[in-house]
Amino acid sequence: MAISIGDFLSKSLTRVFGSKHERDIKTLTPIIEEINKIYEGLSSLSEDELKAKTPEFRQRLEDGETLDDILPEAYAVVKEACRRMVGQSWIVMGHETEWNMVPFDCQLIGAIVLHQGNIAEMATGEGKSLVATMPLYLNALTGKGAHFITVNDYLVQRDVEWYGKIYEYLGLSVAFITSNMSILARQAAYGSDITYGTNNEFGFDYLRDNMSIRPEDQVQRGFNYALVDEVDSVLVDEARTPLIISGPVGGSNTHKYEEMKPLVQSFVRDQTKLVSKKIAEAERLLNDGENYEAGLLLLQSQRGTPKNKRLMKLLSSNPELKKLIMKVESEYIRDKRMTEIDEELLFVIDERNHTINFTDRALSTMRPEEREIFVLPDLNEVLSEIEHDDTLSTDDKALKQDEITREFALKSEKIHNANQLLRAYTLFEKDQQYVVQDGKVMIVDEFTGRLMSGRRYSDGLHQALEAKENVTIEQETQTMATITLQNYFRMYDKLSGMTGTAETEATEFWEIYKLDVVVIPTNRPIVRRDYDDQVYRTRREKYNAIVDRIRYLNELGRPVLVGTVSVDVSETLSRMLKRQGIRHEVLNAKQHKREAEIVANAGRHGAVTIATNMAGRGTDIKLEPVVRDIKSDEHEIPGGLQIIGTERHEARRIDRQLRGRSGRQGDPGSSMFYLSLEDDLMRLFGSERIAGVMERLGVEEGEVITHGMITRAIDRAQKRVEAQNFAIRKHLLEYDNVMNAQREIIYDMRNAALNSESVRDRINEMMEDVIDELLNEYTDGRGVPADWDMDGLITAFTSTFFMTFSLTEDQELTFSVEALRDYLIKIAKSGYDHKASGIKSDSLAWNERVILLTTIDQHWKEHLYEMDQLKEGIGLRGYGQKDPLVEYKREGYVTFQNTVAAISSSTLKSILKGLTAAQYEQAQRQEVLKASNAQTSHEDYSAYEEKSVSGPSPGRAPQKAQTIVRTDRKIGRNELCPCGSGKKYKQCCGK
Ligand code: ADP
Ligand code: MG
């Protein structure tokens, strides 16, 4: 066998120094030896003696030993408990199941890495659920709780029923939380030593706890240790979307989708016609050898309707054309003539830059009243003009500014609606990104293919899709509480995670969570064979090849698991297989309930299973013994499960996840990805080069090309997309961090109020704050009251405190600001005491607290809304060369200060307004009623929609992660105009 020098060198270097992971793991070897030595000694203990270890450990922790000190013993005890349970059986998810697991050394390594607060990358089938029991047991010994987070309710329950026996055997309590659980049950679950649940349950409980009026209604008790299973799915994929608890927006629905729909529809229709003509013309020119002209037309078509079927077909059957288009494009960009390309189009879609815009041409074809909508004035300029108009009185200015602002908002709403409709029509396809079921538009999760019930695209896109599909346009809801998973999990004192696929995202885990990824060696060597990609020109050829391969393997009896990127592809393949009479299971968004069952059976003789990419994550695929020896290719190691990927995913991680379904625990198996030049990833990045190679090699219709070079080129493309997606997620997080800091302050304030006997001190502080505010506004800090606007001050004071004051002439001439401050505080406090004296003290305290809490909640809700608007506004206005994030932070800070001030004054107002004994009794009765509702019927909460919408929190923001298209990318006034004119934005479309 030939080996290149480079190879040889790198191999021998690795041998001497070992890779970083190997070195990391080497340092653990002595601990493993120690665990195993202690373990050997444990077999002589009686059952009671073994069980007594748990209280012993607890005592030693109390006496000052650390978790690290007792780790070897604790892990040995778990291992011994496992050994003693072997042969016992119990019911797991309705099936009698026999325990047969004693942790392997590799599993002990993983367990140590997890205790240390890292991510353990352990391949699928390595037994991560068992690994988790050790760090959970150890960390729960502190009595502060240990949380295990996994991806769905099914796995939560399975793992507790199966592995929970270990904790129980050793005397620790374990419980799980699922949706539809009462507050009492939840409290019990969180009160257990170890709590299992999904990320959503944990996150929503946190938010709900911070909405409760009584401390008794809170269910969580701190954030000690969290172990996240399938950590990449939770912290990378799911983390893109914030958790939101929301209720319907008050007031009327202002959207204008119905109004804008006909206009958008007609543009889409006209553009489709126009592009079809251009493509036909291009084809004719190509036949005549007029290539450059054809390239021009194709470039136009691509910018007009990038997903046009005919265009995609033409490009893939003629790989050279892509290069041609790029060449034309770069020339036009260079000569700053892109406007010429776009001038006939009505709207321009730039897939690579995620922008979508109406053109001047569209404007010119509109009726005047329609065009009027799309011409937005520079709001700041207009407002400041009015401000400086000396012919207007102050009142008139305010009126006029109000009117202009309202008009502006209405127009913006319409433009926004039209843009979202355009997206809905051109970039979203039914049964791909969404399905329509029971009159509702439901999002299909791009990773799992599952329907994401209750979730909505943010920023009005969902409403646009509802308008497009002629179903009821649902009301937008208002956020009442929100947090991103990132910020939720960062609250834990210690966080760790495990998955089969973390390494490719190691940078992100480190930068965002300070989590290190440690790759744990597999228990048995992996023998799975991963083939090079099979590349075809068109999707059709690719699907045919896939079906051929499936038929061939199926005739031999080898099981096949086909991973698809969308429900649509699943169904296409399913139809094709049906036609060929091949029996198979399809697992798609429309029937995810049997998911676990079907996937578990995917290793049976002759099984053909089609599933969207990550469906059934966490489900074990056991091979039926006979399939191990079915050889399908002569050079192949024995058979087992064959994985067929129907497309490469944007992230390498997802592809690795799919491959990893085969070859568990040293099982035989293989994986093969089928690609075509029409695939999204190929289309957007890198298909030109591959097309060139195919051309050179003279690849014919229906022929396949496989080459390491292609596989590597695709890898590179994926890396680029991964980096881009990471940048987007990081950007979102930066925005969220602003709000997170604010949320922490408000929640602290809230919790302090919730958990204190009396909030009187807090109220006194608020009085002082409000008085300071007033003095700030009505005095200038120097001089005496006679110089200040005392009438204004008295009015303002009266309207907040519902009591008034007056100064003697003497005071008017001698008081400093400080003296006035003391005087006002004394008046306010004694007035408050006087009014309060008529009320029983416990009911007073109760009411003060409730009023304070509800006031905080009300203002926080409004604050969230304002922050939303702010984010959006920053996107709309464009800030010249200023960094929008900095602006957001700055304005967000001011908004927050206003909110905090408003909380103080409204609380005082509510408390003081009618401080009569009768009203107090009544308020108290109402609050008790409200609180008891919250306690007994949890459904009251589920009446709020729990959802995580796409994109950044909460709801709207300048940039979107989930949707392919970014909304209203803010264009700096001095940036080049996106229309391609080469002029500055402010001198062109931004005029
Ligand atoms: P992963 O989550 O790593 O994909 P699972 O926790 O689902 O793996 O376990 C995969 C399979 O391996 C399960 O059937 C489990 O019973 C089995 N298993 C795990 N650890 C052991 C062990 N130490 N000995 C025997 N079987 C084990
Ligand atoms: Mg698992």
Side-chain angles (χ1 to χ4, degrees), residues 687-698:
S687 64
E688 300 87 13
R689 275 189 58 199
I690 296 162
V693 174
M694 290 182 98
E695 196 73 353
R696 270 203 304 286
L697 296 178

Side-chain angles (χ1 to χ4, degrees), residues 611-645:
T612 44
N613 250 316
M614 297 199 312
R617 233 194 202 219
T619 315
D620 197 26
I621 303 181
K622 287 213 161 66
L623 291 184
E624 195 176 346
V626 296
V627 308
R628 291 172 175 272
D629 302 319
I630 304 176
K631 277 203 186 204
S632 47
D633 300 293
E634 76 255 48
H635 50 272
E636 192 170 310
I637 18 114
L641 177 65
Q642 157 116 40
I643 301 294
I644 290 183

Side-chain angles (χ1 to χ4, degrees), residues 128-129 158 229-230 618:
K128 289 187 283 292
S129 304
R158 183 200 73 180
D229 193 12
E230 306 293 352

Side-chain angles (χ1 to χ4, degrees), residues 100-104 107 122-130 158 162-163 618 620 622 664-665:
N100 60 356
M101 289 178 260
V102 182
F104 306 124
Q107 291 178 308
M122 301 183 72
T124 312
E126 285 295 302
K128 289 187 283 292
S129 304
L130 179 64
R158 183 200 73 180
W162 201 354
Y163 299 88
D620 197 26
K622 287 213 161 66
R664 301 172 143 209
Q665 287 284 349

Side-chain angles (χ1 to χ4, degrees), residues 797-832:
F797 184 87
T798 312
S799 73
T800 306
F801 291 94
F802 296 96
M803 51 184 101
T804 191
F805 72 96
S806 59
L807 297 182
T808 62
E809 212 167 297
D810 190 33
Q811 289 168 327
E812 287 254 2
L813 293 170
T814 57
F815 264 5
S816 64
V817 176
E818 287 74 34
L820 180 60
R821 179 176 188 271
D822 292 344
Y823 180 71
L824 291 183
I825 289 175
K826 215 171 86 198
I827 290 179
K829 283 189 182 163
S830 64
Y832 187 96

Side-chain angles (χ1 to χ4, degrees), residues 586-601:
V586 199
L587 212 126
N588 62 25
K590 285 170 190 159
Q591 36 156 274
H592 62 260
K593 284 200 189 100
R594 294 192 298 138
E595 193 172 280
E597 260 167 50
I598 295 179
V599 171
N601 287 330

Side-chain angles (χ1 to χ4, degrees), residues 825-877:
I825 289 175
K826 215 171 86 198
I827 290 179
K829 283 189 182 163
S830 64
Y832 187 96
D833 289 343
H834 176 71
K835 287 192 175 186
S837 60
I839 304 145
K840 282 202 302 285
S841 66
D842 58 338
S843 79
L844 176 66
W846 159 254
N847 278 283
E848 283 171 341
R849 183 164 67 223
V850 168
I851 289 175
L852 175 56
L853 289 174
T854 47
T855 310
I856 292 176
D857 292 347
Q858 180 59 31
H859 284 277
W860 176 240
K861 193 169 75 183
E862 280 163 22
H863 180 71
L864 289 177
Y865 181 72
E866 276 173 45
M867 292 296 282
D868 259 10
Q869 298 292 100
L870 177 62
K871 229 187 259 182
E872 198 179 4
I874 278 176
L876 260 178
R877 267 177 288 168

